[in-house]
Amino acid sequence: GAKQQKITELKEREIVNALLKLTRERQDKVYLTVGHGERRPGNEPQGLGLLQARLEEIDYTVGDSLFLARVGAVPEDCAVLVVAGPRTPLFSVEVAAIREYLQQGGSVLLLLDPLYESGLEELLGEWGVALGDDFVIDTSGIGSLFGLDFTTPVSVSYGDHPVTKKHQGMMTFFQLVRSVRFDEGSGLEGTALVMTSEAGWAESDLSVLESQGDHTVKLDEGIDQPGPVNLAVAVHDKNASGRLVVFGDSDFATNQYFDYQGNGDLALNALSWLAEDEELISIRPR
């Protein structure tokens, strides 16, 4: 028809993205919440500028900053709501808005770091998800190859789910991540997305992170959770059609780590599944 896209660079990604924009009959809108210290699009290492740019390349749009406490509801044109690394708890009115959005078939991506309360714990419990009050240790030694320490687990294990179906054999990195568990008895359909090896565990002594100097950490039987440890889950309420993905870390999607191995693809594929746009799930060429 009258649709047209011009390519400025003769590269595979440019051609594929142009074809997607021409042939897709939809343009999904992603909203990022603000007001609680969440990560924002930007060029700084801790920003989400690369994630925003990649989303726009495949014809998603990233909406204006969403201050839920002010507007009181998730916009009707929101395909995916993202809460990325809040540093203070969301207000009850914001949690209620997210709950209603999910009940109406909405999709939410939560990136929740350790040491911080999100205010979403009760809502997550309703969806069969439990956040660990911990941080995950990795003693496999893989991270040292990239100059990372034991607080940055490197995963090569993934669940059987559309988000991770093409990640088998790829590495993903999570700087300071908490455990995330799904309750199989919740009545909902949930899947663990990312797991550590048996060399990892969930350390419950958070004081190690807050103290100065070198400290020896060890797996305390009966207190710490032994590996493999789940780092992310996806939940689908088939009755209401709502979708939820929860990661115990927000760093993996930031500019600093986005291009590390499979990190960027993992974030993008989670968003594509949440937007019910599964044909876009892929491992994109570098």
Side-chain angles (χ1 to χ4, degrees):
K3 296 175 71 175
Q4 206 179 86
Q5 286 288 326
K6 293 186 178 181
I7 299 172
T8 56
E9 293 182 275
L10 194 58
K11 295 182 178 179
E12 179 183 8
R13 188 172 70 186
E14 295 292 324
I15 296 171
V16 171
N17 289 336
L19 287 170
L20 282 171
K21 291 179 181 180
L22 287 171
T23 57
R24 294 176 77 225
E25 298 298 325
R26 56 191 283 187
Q27 186 177 55
D28 292 315
K29 197 164 189 177
V30 176
Y31 282 89
L32 280 71
T33 64
V34 297
H36 300 277
E38 295 96 326
R39 300 189 187 279
R40 305 293 309 132
N43 296 324
E44 65 277 9
Q46 300 305 314
L48 300 175
L50 286 174
L51 177 62
Q52 179 184 23
R54 298 293 188 273
L55 285 171
E56 292 174 348
E57 283 179 0
I58 54 177
D59 213 22
Y60 284 62
T61 60
V62 179
D64 297 332
S65 301
L66 181 61
F67 189 18
L68 268 176
R70 178 184 298 142
V71 299
V74 179
E76 292 185 1
D77 64 347
C78 178
V80 182
L81 177 68
V82 180
V83 183
R87 294 304 188 250
T88 59
L90 274 66
F91 300 126
S92 58
V93 64
E94 297 173 302
V95 177
I98 295 174
R99 178 182 286 110
E100 182 178 359
Y101 173 64
L102 283 167
Q103 289 173 345
Q104 294 176 350
S107 296
V108 177
L109 175 61
L110 301 178
L111 311 179
L112 305 176
D113 297 299
L115 298 176
Y116 300 99
E117 289 187 16
S118 66
L120 294 163
E121 288 76 15
E122 183 178 340
L123 174 58
L124 288 174
E126 297 167 9
W127 279 74
V129 178
L131 290 174
D133 189 18
D134 52 32
F135 70 101
V136 180
I137 296 291
D138 182 6
T139 60
S140 67
I142 299 177
S144 63
L145 301 174
F146 300 88
L148 306 171
D149 64 16
F150 63 86
T151 63
T152 304
V154 179
S155 178
V156 291
S157 300
Y158 305 96
D160 183 13
H161 191 274
V163 170
T164 50
K165 66 181 180 181
K166 296 189 178 181
H167 272 75
Q168 304 303 328
M170 295 191 69
M171 289 185 287
T172 46
F173 298 75
F174 302 88
Q175 184 192 45
L176 202 58
V177 57
R178 71 201 308 171
S179 65
V180 185
R181 299 182 300 278
F182 177 73
D183 178 10
E184 299 291 345
S186 65
L188 299 173
E189 185 179 284
T191 305
L193 295 179
V194 186
M195 293 80 74
T196 70
S197 68
E198 293 184 357
W201 75 84
E203 174 62 49
S204 59
D205 185 5
L206 295 173
S207 66
V208 174
L209 299 175
E210 299 167 349
S211 57
Q212 301 295 322
D214 294 329
H215 292 271
T216 301
V217 292
K218 61 183 180 63
L219 174 62
D220 295 315
E221 297 290 344
I223 299 176
D224 299 329
Q225 178 190 343
V229 179
N230 295 337
L231 307 180
V233 300
V235 188
H236 186 193
D237 182 351
K238 290 193 172 182
N239 294 322
S241 298
R243 297 188 178 200
L244 175 68
V245 172
V246 184
F247 283 88
D249 172 54
S250 64
D251 297 277
F252 83 98
T254 63
N255 299 331
Q256 184 175 2
Y257 293 103
F258 191 88
D259 283 332
Y260 269 47
Q261 301 294 313
N263 278 23
D265 287 314
L266 184 60
L268 291 170
N269 289 343
L271 281 157
S272 293
W273 179 76
L274 286 166
E276 300 182 46
D277 209 1
E278 296 180 21
E279 67 268 20
L280 291 182
I281 290 177
S282 65
I283 301 300
R284 297 154 187 84
R286 294 289 178 252

